[in-house]
Amino acid sequence: MSSFKRKGKQALPSYSGTRVSPASNLSLITSTGISSLDDILGGGLPLSCSLVFAAPDIHSSYGELIEKYFVAQGLAVGHSICVVSEDPDGFMRDVMWFAKGQNTRNGNDSEEEYKSADQTQKVKIAWRYEKMKQFQTTTGDSDADSFCQVFELSSRVPEDLIEEALQIKRLHFVKVGSEDVSTAQILGKISSYIKTETSRPMRICIPGLGSAGWGDLGPQSVLHFLHSLRAILRRNAHGCASISLAPQLSTERWGGAGWMEKVGWASDGTMIVSGFSGR
């Protein structure tokens, strides 16, 4: 009798706001809060991974805007959040939220509106096209709308929701800028928070890494921080991180030749965000 046994499939934990990755049935992904960005990432950001955004335009706030969507999405689906910033409280109170009087988006709205259109005005086309749904910008199946929420830029997270999240320890602030707080201590706090929260995913949000409040960080210090953060996420598979570099750190001029490639090696991915030049 053979002593070998067939290895069964590893059961993935069930978390709100996550789904199985289309690239691998052994990993979970979660939305960044921006459906088009989820498309670029192949469905969303995998848990246990970190993603770095470089926004070299000093006159824009693209990196910070992406981080706010990331946090808003986490709050909406009940994830734990850790914000690492010079002013985490101010950052949190400027995060966008649902439109007034609307808390969720019905994923079937567009389909129902499409079906309720005046049938007499519908163009008679081939049956295989007639039964298709309206175009959607998100990848995946019919739960795409519930996977990635829709937020209103003019709305803000309610104050009572922030206070409640802080009280029940679902929201954590790590303030940088103090002379006695080093990057090692910041990593220690992140590790402590993520270890104590295992019942739901934890989102690590770091807007403006390397800004003035972080002190005099050099390229090696930034790479060591990113590499250490990735190691923490590997040991805690329910966590994920979104980091935006300060504008001055987002160019080859600051870090030297091949700087952005090195940032990509120290994290799980790097994206450069810039506006249209108009040329």
Side-chain angles (χ1 to χ4, degrees):
M1 182 176 179
S2 175
S3 60
F4 294 99
K5 294 182 180 180
R6 183 185 297 273
K7 186 177 181 180
K9 291 185 178 180
Q10 183 179 3
L12 292 174
S14 178
Y15 298 128
S16 65
T18 65
R19 62 186 178 193
V20 178
S21 170
S24 171
N25 59 4
L26 297 178
S27 62
L28 294 175
I29 58 175
T30 187
S31 175
T32 61
I34 305 174
S35 59
S36 55
L37 179 56
D38 290 342
D39 290 348
I40 296 174
L41 297 175
L45 176 62
L47 295 185
S48 79
C49 292
S50 61
L51 182 60
V52 178
F53 296 95
D57 187 357
I58 61 174
H59 301 293
S60 71
S61 57
Y62 296 129
E64 185 173 314
L65 185 63
I66 292 174
E67 300 304 329
K68 289 177 180 177
Y69 272 107
F70 181 72
V71 169
Q73 173 68 24
L75 276 180
V77 297
H79 292 177
S80 293
I81 297 169
C82 178
V83 179
V84 183
S85 172
E86 299 175 54
D87 182 17
D89 183 71
F91 173 87
M92 194 67 216
R93 297 181 190 281
D94 198 39
V95 170
M96 69 286 293
W97 198 237
F98 297 111
K100 188 175 181 180
Q102 178 184 1
N103 290 329
T104 58
R105 177 180 174 182
N106 186 351
N108 297 322
D109 285 350
S110 59
E111 185 177 0
E112 291 173 357
E113 291 174 2
Y114 180 66
K115 289 181 178 179
S116 63
D118 188 0
Q119 297 296 321
T120 60
Q121 300 297 325
K122 188 169 63 174
V123 179
K124 298 299 181 181
I125 56 177
W127 63 270
R128 60 178 178 175
Y129 296 113
E130 185 178 3
K131 295 181 180 295
M132 289 179 66
K133 296 180 181 179
Q134 285 184 314
F135 175 76
Q136 295 179 349
T137 59
T138 51
T139 58
D141 48 21
S142 60
D143 68 341
D145 289 333
S146 59
F147 178 73
C148 181
Q149 303 293 330
V150 178
F151 302 100
E152 174 62 47
L153 281 173
S154 60
S155 298
R156 293 294 177 265
V157 178
E159 297 278 344
D160 56 344
L161 182 60
I162 296 176
E163 296 301 329
E164 180 184 358
L166 287 170
Q167 290 178 4
I168 63 177
K169 299 187 183 303
R170 194 170 293 180
L171 175 62
H172 306 276
F173 290 159
V174 178
K175 183 176 176 59
V176 301
S178 302
E179 294 182 357
D180 57 342
V181 177
S182 64
T183 54
Q185 291 174 311
I186 293 172
L187 289 168
K189 290 183 178 180
I190 293 174
S191 179
S192 175
Y193 291 144
I194 199 171
K195 285 180 180 178
T196 56
E197 180 57 89
T198 58
S199 61
R200 59 179 55 85
M202 172 167 278
R203 295 177 177 233
I204 311 298
C205 170
I206 308 178
L209 173 62
S211 59
W214 286 77
D216 188 16
L217 291 181
Q220 292 301 322
S221 298
V222 173
L223 294 177
H224 181 268
F225 179 85
L226 293 174
H227 187 270
S228 300
L229 177 60
R230 185 175 65 175
I232 292 174
L233 294 175
R234 290 294 190 274
R235 295 192 296 268
N236 301 274
H238 61 289
C240 61
S242 178
I243 308 105
S244 62
L245 298 179
Q248 68 271 18
L249 270 67
S250 302
T251 62
E252 300 279 329
R253 183 185 305 173
W254 186 83
W259 166 241
M260 295 313 302
E261 291 183 1
K262 294 176 183 178
V263 171
W265 294 334
S267 59
D268 291 296
T270 304
M271 298 185 68
I272 300 177
V273 185
S274 60
F276 294 104
S277 62
R279 292 181 294 179

